[in-house]
Amino acid sequence: MAIRKIVTDEDELLRKKSREVVSVNNRIITLLDDMKDTLRLSEGVGLAAPQVGILRRIFIINVGIEEDREEIVEFIDPVIVEMSGEQTGAEGCLSVPGRSGTVTRPDKVTVEATDRNGKRFSYTGIGLMARCLCHEYDHLDGILYTDKASEMFEETEE
Ligand code: CO
């Protein structure tokens, strides 16, 4: 396992569309493990493969964050199958350091994806998790939340 460098928004790579994984090989498993280490170290909620410079359709989310525990779910070749409701709130991104913004997203989102064993599964997120699913999914299509933000803020050091 290793920490990978997080690409920031000056890099054109974050604007590219990621390719499907289709078959989960050892390189993908290593990537998933490294992404977990990188997410832990950066204390983020989610991380998409393009953020570590790999243009594959993969993201991970710590779905336990609201209960202050770690439960990282890995989404490979995700598809958003259902969206409903609406929420407006603050959003940030490990690739956009020092800034945050206000973004309107669906309040409930269901994603179907492949796990590391090659099995398809379904995951439904509400509130913050719905926001996170949409945010990470957008990364796979080269979209950043700054594109969708109604206002942006500079973060001040605490
Ligand atoms: Co992001």
Side-chain angles (χ1 to χ4, degrees):
M1 306 238 269
I3 306 295
R4 301 218 183 182
K5 191 179 180 311
I6 294 178
V7 172
T8 55
D9 60 337
E10 301 104 63
D11 198 320
E12 273 305 298
L13 198 98
L14 285 182
R15 294 310 193 168
K16 297 211 160 88
K17 210 173 147 71
S18 291
R19 285 188 301 127
E20 281 201 339
V21 173
V22 186
S23 83
V24 183
N25 58 25
N26 285 339
R27 280 179 63 183
I28 297 295
I29 297 292
T30 302
L31 171 64
L32 288 165
D33 288 341
D34 289 354
M35 284 174 67
K36 276 190 187 178
D37 278 358
T38 308
L39 183 65
R40 274 188 202 113
L41 185 79
S42 55
E43 296 179 335
V45 189
L47 184 68
Q51 290 183 276
V52 293
I54 308 291
L55 292 171
R56 305 306 291 267
R57 300 189 79 80
I58 296 171
F59 61 73
I60 62 171
I61 293 176
N62 180 9
V63 301
I65 195 115
E66 287 170 293
E67 292 94 53
D68 222 12
R69 62 188 173 86
E70 184 188 282
E71 185 189 342
I72 297 175
V73 179
E74 302 165 339
F75 298 84
I76 301 165
D77 292 343
V79 180
I80 294 176
V81 292
E82 225 177 299
M83 291 193 280
S84 61
E86 196 182 276
Q87 57 171 323
T88 300
E91 211 161 299
C93 180
L94 293 171
S95 294
V96 188
R99 284 188 287 162
S100 64
T102 307
V103 187
T104 299
R105 301 276 193 188
D107 193 48
K108 189 177 175 189
V109 174
T110 299
V111 170
E112 281 177 13
T114 302
D115 67 18
R116 63 164 64 203
N117 302 310
K119 206 167 167 281
R120 291 297 280 181
F121 69 97
S122 174
Y123 181 87
T124 299
I126 296 167
L128 174 66
M129 285 306 126
R131 174 177 296 283
C132 201
L133 285 166
C134 293
H135 177 117
E136 301 308 333
Y137 186 87
D138 277 351
H139 273 300
L140 309 183
D141 288 328
I143 299 163
L144 296 178
Y145 83 92
T146 52
D147 303 344
K148 297 182 169 179
S150 56
E151 50 188 344
M152 289 294 297
F153 304 97
E154 298 288 327
E155 272 175 5
T156 48
E157 290 291 322
E158 279 170 43

